[in-house]
Amino acid sequence: MTSPRVVIIGAGIVGANLADELATRGWTNITVIEQGPLQLAGGSTSHAPGLVFQTNASKTLTEFAGYTVQKLLSLGADGVSCFNQVGGLEVATTEARLEDLKRKLGWAASWGVEGRLIDPDECEKHYPLLARDRVLGGLLVATDGLASAARAVQLLISRASEAGVKFIGSTPVTGIEQAAGKVTGVRTPDGVVPADIVVSCAGFWGPKIGQMAGVAVPLLPLAHQYAKTTAVPELAGRNELPNGARLPILRHQDKDLYYREHGDRIGIGSYAHRPMPANLDELPQVGPEQMSEHRMPSRLEFTAEDFLPSWEDSRELLPALRTAEIAEGFNGIFSFTSDGGPLIGSTPELEGFYLAEAVWVTHSAGVAKAVAELLVEGQSRTDLHDCDINRFEEVQTGADYVSETSQQNFVEIYDVLHPLQPRLSPRNLRVSPFHARQQELGAFFLEAGGWERPHWFEANKGLLNELPAEWQAPDRDAWAGMFHSPISAAEAWKTRTAVALYDMTPLKRLEVAGPGALALLQRLSTGNIDKKPGAVTYCLLLAGDGGVRSDVTVARLGQEQFQVGVNGNMDLAYLQTEAREQSAADPAQWVHVRDITGATCCIGLWGPLAREVVAKVSSDDFSNDGLRYFRAKQVHIGGIPVTAMRLSYVGELGWELYTSAEHGLKLWDTLSEAGAEHGIIAAGRGAFNSLRLEKGYRLWGTDVTAEHGPDEAGLGFAVRRDFQDFIGAAALAVRRTQAPGRRLRCLTIDDGTSVVLGKEPVYVDGEAAGYVTSAAYGYTVRRPIAYAWLPAGVQEGDNVAIEYFGRRIPATVAAEPLFDPQMERLRG
C-alpha cells in the first residue's frame, strides 16, 4: 500500500513500538529521529524500572497495559522474551488500603483482568521477604510483571528496520516545518525530513517539540527516586542473571513505594518525596559518545536525604533489608500530567501533527497500537476520550496550571481517592455569574473542567424537616456517603413537586454559523438539522466505525446560526477541524465555530410549577402552543433577553434559559424572587444526577463512548431514518445487520439501600459479565439505580449481582425509563 511520509520523533519505547505497529500495518515510508544514540537514547525508557501493574480505574489504560504485556511476551530473542511475568502483588498495611484493594479487584473484574485477594499468609508465601505481621492482605495479579524496556526497543528497531523503517540516531529536532496550517517536515541540523504526518513521541521533551509546532503539550517533567540495595543474603543464588527476578513486583502504596528484584538486590521506587520538577534547559548535557547506563540527561543526581524516610519504611516492610545498604540511586525524569493520563491524538492547531506523550512503559505498546490505528484506519479501536490531547479546557493547558496539578498528581499517585475527590487547588478558575448567590446559599462546590459546580445547598437543609417520609433516602455507607448530602433528597423532591433552579452554565456550548453551517452539521450528525429556525434536535456524532463519539443538542436559531450543546473540548476541536476542511474545500461553504460558554450562562428552570414562575416575569407565551417540547425562541424575562429552549435533563417541565454573562445574576435574582411564593429553590448536581438516571438519560464519556454503537446504547432513536450521508452512516448500517453483543441496561438494587458509584463489576450467573457506568439513589422511585453494560442476552427481569468492595449486591434488570415513561410531565 502507498504510505504517507511519517516522521516519528523519539525512539524510546513508544516511538519504537509505533514504528513497528505502522510497519506491521503496511506503512513503511517512516523515519524515526532520535536525539540520543539509538542503542541508549537517554530518555525515560533508558532508566525505567519496567514494572507493569495492569489494573487501573481507567478501562482504556487497563487495555493498553494488557496489550503491552501480550506484545512484550511475544517479543524476544534467544528464547527470552521482553516480559518477565512474575506477577504483581499490592499489599495493604491499613484497613483503608485493604478496602481499596477490594475496589481495585472490582476494576480488574470489570475490565477482564484476573486477580484475587489473598490473606497475609499467602502474601508471605508469594513474597517471603515481607514482614508478615505488618500486612493485612494483598491483591495478586498473576499476569503482571517486568518489562525489559531498553531491550524491547532494540528488538523493535531491528524488526522495523527490516520492514523498511529508517532510524536516525544522535540527531536533534530543531523545528517543525509547516505551510498553510499543515505539517510539511521536521528540521534537523542535517536538513529537513519531509513529512505528511509527524508524531511526537519525545516523552518529557514533548513540550519542547510542541513549542516548535505551536502546540501546547501539557505535561510536566518530574524526577522520581529509584535506588538499588546492596546484596540481600535471602536472595543469594535465586537468580541466574544479575538483573533477574522471580519474586512478584511489589507495591507498598500506603508508603508510596514499589519494589522489584535485581538479581540478589532489591530496587526501590519512591513517590514519597517532595515533587521535583525538572527544567529541560538545565538537564545534564551528555553527548552521544558519553551516554551510558549511569550517565544520561534523564538521570539526575540522587538526593539521599529525600529517600531516607522511604528507606526506613522499606526496612519495616522487608526486614531482610536491615542487613543491606543503599548501593546506588538516581532521580529519574518521567512525564506527569494533571490527571495522570497520556496525551494522545491530533491537534487542531496543526494538521498532520500528532502526540503520543506522557506514556509510561506500562501502557507503551497499547498506546502505539492505538495511534497506529488512528493513523491507518482513522480511529483507534480502543476508546481514547480520557487520553485525548483535546480533553483539557484552555485554562488547564497553561504552564502554571500544568505545573501545580501535575505535582499534586505526583503526590497523590498512590493515595486512596474517591471518584468525586475535588482538587484543593487551583480553584475558582471558572465561576458562573450566579456564583455569589450560590455562596450565599451555602453551596458545596465540586470542580470539573475548571468550573465550580454546586452539588447541594446548605440553605435547603431545613427542607429535610418537611420532607415526606417516602422521599427520605436510607443512610449510605461511609464511602458512598463521601461528597454527598441528604439535602440532595430535598432538592430532588422540590424539583419533582414544585420548581428549582439549576446552574447549567458549565455545559459547553458552541456557536456554529455561516453559509456552510447547515451542511457541516448535517454531515457530522445523525439528526435532521434542516428544520425551521426554532427547532432543537438531539442527535449523535459518530465515528467512522459507527461508534458514538459524542451526543449533542443542536438549536437552529437562524438560517445560518446554530447553538450546539456538546460534551467538552474534544467536540470543539472536532467541529473546528471539520469546519476548516469544509471551508478550504469550498470557500462559499465557510463556517465559523466558536466556544461561547464563558460569554454566556444558563439556568435550568424545571418543575411542575415552572410556568407559574416565568409567567410572573415574562409576557412571552410559554404555553405548550407557544413553546413546544424541543423548540427554542427568543424571549424576555424581567426585561432580560433570553434564548429559551424547551429541554429538560431531569424529566420535568421547564426550560434551559440562556443569556449573556452580563445579565446572568439579574436573571437568577428575577426568577428567585418570582418563584418565592411557589417554593423555588436552587438545586445541585447531587439531585440532578439522581433525576437524570430516573429518566434514563445517558451521560457521554461515562455511560457511552466511541466504543459503543447507538442501538446497543439505547440511542438509536437519535439517528434519522433516511440514512443520508453523515459520517459513520455506512458503518452503522452494517452494524444494524448484526445482533449486538451487549446492551446498556438499567438495574435497580434489590435491598433498596446500597448505593454504588460506578465501574463495579456486574455478575451474571456467577461470572463477571459487565460493569456499572452511572449510579445514584433514585429519590422519586425510592431505590438505588445503576446503569451497566451487560451481554445482550440479559433481559428485563433477570437477576444479577453488583460486586461492591468484595460484597455481592443483588440487583434486577429493569425496564426504562423508571420515571414517567410516557413523557407526560415533560410535555405537559
Side-chain angles (χ1 to χ4, degrees), residues 687-738:
F688 179 89
N689 194 50
S690 170
L691 299 174
R692 72 103 180 165
L693 283 180
E694 290 180 335
K695 281 297 296 177
Y697 293 147
R698 277 60 167 151
L699 178 62
W700 191 88
T702 300
D703 301 311
V704 184
T705 69
E707 69 176 297
H708 308 116
D711 298 317
E712 60 184 353
L715 296 173
F717 68 90
V719 180
R720 58 179 182 257
R721 296 181 179 180
D722 56 10
F723 275 97
Q724 296 177 24
D725 187 22
F726 57 85
I727 290 176
L732 180 57
V734 173
R735 280 185 184 236
R736 286 185 162 175
T737 65
Q738 305 162 349

Side-chain angles (χ1 to χ4, degrees), residues 747-756 761-764 772 783-786 797-804 807-813:
L747 310 179
T748 56
I749 294 176
D750 295 349
D751 65 15
T753 60
S754 298
V755 177
V756 300
V762 180
Y763 286 77
V764 178
V772 172
R783 48 191 158 160
I785 309 165
D798 286 355
N799 297 316
V800 298
I802 302 171
E803 186 172 282
Y804 180 69
R807 178 169 60 95
R808 301 280 175 91
I809 302 172
T812 301
V813 180

Side-chain angles (χ1 to χ4, degrees), residues 368-653:
K369 172 178 174 287
V371 175
E373 291 167 349
L374 192 62
L375 296 178
V376 177
E377 302 173 21
Q379 74 177 96
S380 164
R381 298 183 187 182
T382 300
D383 174 64
L384 297 179
H385 84 274
D386 56 358
C387 302
D388 193 301
I389 178 59
N390 299 303
R391 68 188 182 271
F392 298 108
E393 295 293 316
E394 185 177 4
V395 72
Q396 296 175 302
T397 62
D400 290 345
Y401 183 94
V402 172
S403 177
E404 180 177 350
T405 55
S406 297
Q407 290 184 61
Q408 188 61 29
N409 182 43
F410 178 94
V411 170
E412 295 177 345
I413 193 166
Y414 280 171
D415 287 359
V416 177
L417 298 177
H418 192 274
L420 295 177
Q421 194 92 26
R423 292 191 188 282
L424 298 179
S425 177
R427 292 295 295 267
N428 294 314
L429 293 173
R430 308 172 83 185
V431 298
S432 77
F434 324 128
H435 189 252
R437 295 293 180 266
Q438 292 166 348
Q439 288 181 307
E440 291 169 4
L441 294 171
F444 180 85
F445 293 99
L446 295 180
E447 176 268 347
W451 283 104
E452 297 295 326
R453 296 183 171 195
H455 273 244
W456 68 83
F457 294 88
E458 289 295 325
N460 295 326
K461 188 172 184 179
L463 293 174
L464 293 174
N465 298 324
E466 306 173 26
L467 194 65
E470 64 270 21
W471 281 87
Q472 293 177 6
D475 292 337
R476 298 190 179 197
D477 67 83
W479 183 255
M482 290 178 69
F483 310 110
H484 161 77
S485 170
I487 294 172
S488 292
E491 294 177 357
W493 169 56
K494 276 292 188 178
T495 306
R496 289 278 190 244
T497 60
V499 60
L501 298 172
Y502 287 84
D503 183 358
M504 305 303 290
T505 302
L507 301 186
K508 186 177 282 291
R509 49 202 163 273
L510 313 178
E511 180 185 74
V512 180
L518 176 61
L520 176 73
L521 293 171
Q522 286 284 79
R523 179 168 59 85
L524 299 187
S525 76
T526 63
N528 181 19
I529 312 301
D530 192 7
K531 303 173 184 175
K532 294 179 180 179
V536 181
T537 305
Y538 173 78
C539 51
L540 311 175
L541 306 180
L542 299 186
D545 69 347
V548 182
R549 70 176 299 153
S550 190
D551 65 336
V552 300
T553 303
V554 182
R556 190 170 196 177
L557 303 182
Q559 284 298 121
E560 297 182 354
Q561 182 185 9
F562 299 82
Q563 180 172 308
V564 184
V566 299
N567 283 295
N569 214 50
M570 290 184 293
D571 293 334
L572 171 62
Y574 177 55
L575 265 67
Q576 286 181 330
T577 299
E578 291 291 332
R580 185 168 56 244
E581 292 180 359
Q582 176 176 300
S583 300
D586 183 358
Q589 289 290 296
W590 66 266
V591 55
H592 184 59
V593 178
R594 69 185 183 104
D595 183 355
I596 60 171
T597 312
T600 57
C601 58
C602 178
I603 293 174
L605 179 69
W606 293 315
L609 301 183
R611 275 205 184 97
E612 282 81 347
V613 173
V614 79
K616 293 187 64 175
V617 288
S618 179
S619 59
D620 288 286
D621 187 357
F622 281 84
S623 68
N624 268 329
D625 291 335
L627 185 54
R628 299 193 306 275
Y629 188 53
F630 264 81
R631 295 286 296 176
K633 72 175 183 179
Q634 304 299 323
V635 300
H636 281 80
I637 297 176
I640 299 166
V642 170
T643 300
M645 297 187 193
R646 180 83 182 275
L647 308 174
S648 172
Y649 207 50
V650 300
E652 292 294 335
L653 168 69

Side-chain angles (χ1 to χ4, degrees), residues 36-113:
L38 293 177
Q39 67 273 17
L40 187 67
S44 299
T45 301
S46 301
H47 63 68
L51 286 77
V52 177
F53 289 93
Q54 297 169 81
T55 307
N56 192 285
S58 164
K59 181 174 184 284
T60 294
L61 292 183
T62 302
E63 289 182 9
F64 285 162
Y67 182 78
T68 300
V69 169
Q70 295 170 24
K71 183 169 183 178
L72 295 187
L73 275 172
S74 67
L75 180 68
D78 302 322
V80 180
S81 83
C82 290
F83 193 78
N84 184 1
Q85 205 159 39
V86 292
L89 176 61
E90 302 181 46
V91 294
T93 58
T94 64
E95 290 292 344
R97 182 67 60 181
L98 187 61
E99 289 301 299
D100 193 56
L101 292 184
K102 295 176 184 177
R103 182 171 64 125
K104 186 171 287 187
L105 179 63
W107 297 339
S110 291
W111 316 145
V113 177

Side-chain angles (χ1 to χ4, degrees), residues 194-237:
D196 304 302
I197 295 171
V198 173
V199 187
S200 179
C201 303
F204 62 78
W205 296 99
K208 287 285 189 184
I209 302 299
Q211 287 176 0
M212 298 177 193
V215 172
V217 180
L219 67 80
L220 181 70
L222 281 167
H224 158 60
Q225 291 200 298
Y226 192 77
K228 294 180 183 178
T229 70
T230 56
V232 177
E234 286 82 350
L235 298 179

